[in-house]
Amino acid sequence: MVVMEAYLLPGDMLLCRVLSLGDSRRYYLSTTKQALGVIHAVSATSGKPMVPNSWKEMECPETGVKELRKCARPRALSSSANVENETASLQ
């Protein structure tokens, strides 16, 4: 069983799929596909942006501290055509 609280923290920037708008206070999101997950996170120890090491771990380049995250697969942002193709494949 995966405990999402261990892999996603407040302040993380996510690439995710909206499952439902829920009610006025909640959104239901999914990061189950490999392309979805954390795209930006800040280290709890140094406050610096971290870089992904694997699909489930990010590392602070300054301190070397590793933290668990469900990382999104890196995306090519060089052209809008690539982004449109990846977006279509997520649906």
Side-chain angles (χ1 to χ4, degrees), residues 15 34-36 38-39 52 54-55 71-77 86:
L15 180 63
Q34 289 181 348
L36 304 176
V38 176
I39 58 173
S54 68
W55 71 270
C71 300
R73 181 176 53 202
R75 298 169 24 137
L77 296 177
E86 286 185 12

Side-chain angles (χ1 to χ4, degrees), residues 3-71:
V3 180
M4 290 313 297
E5 289 83 12
Y7 289 96
L8 303 173
L9 296 177
D12 289 352
M13 197 175 304
L14 304 175
L15 180 63
C16 57
R17 182 172 172 223
V18 177
L19 298 176
S20 170
L21 296 178
D23 57 26
S24 63
R25 298 175 359 160
R26 294 186 184 103
Y27 294 93
Y28 296 96
L29 309 173
S30 172
T31 60
T32 56
K33 296 193 182 241
Q34 289 181 348
L36 304 176
V38 176
I39 58 173
H40 176 78
V42 176
S43 172
T45 56
S46 70
K48 303 288 183 184
M50 295 191 298
V51 294
N53 270 350
S54 68
W55 71 270
K56 64 178 183 174
E57 185 177 77
M58 295 186 99
E59 181 178 3
C60 175
E62 186 174 293
T63 63
V65 172
K66 296 177 183 178
E67 298 180 18
L68 292 177
R69 295 290 197 285
K70 196 283 187 181
C71 300

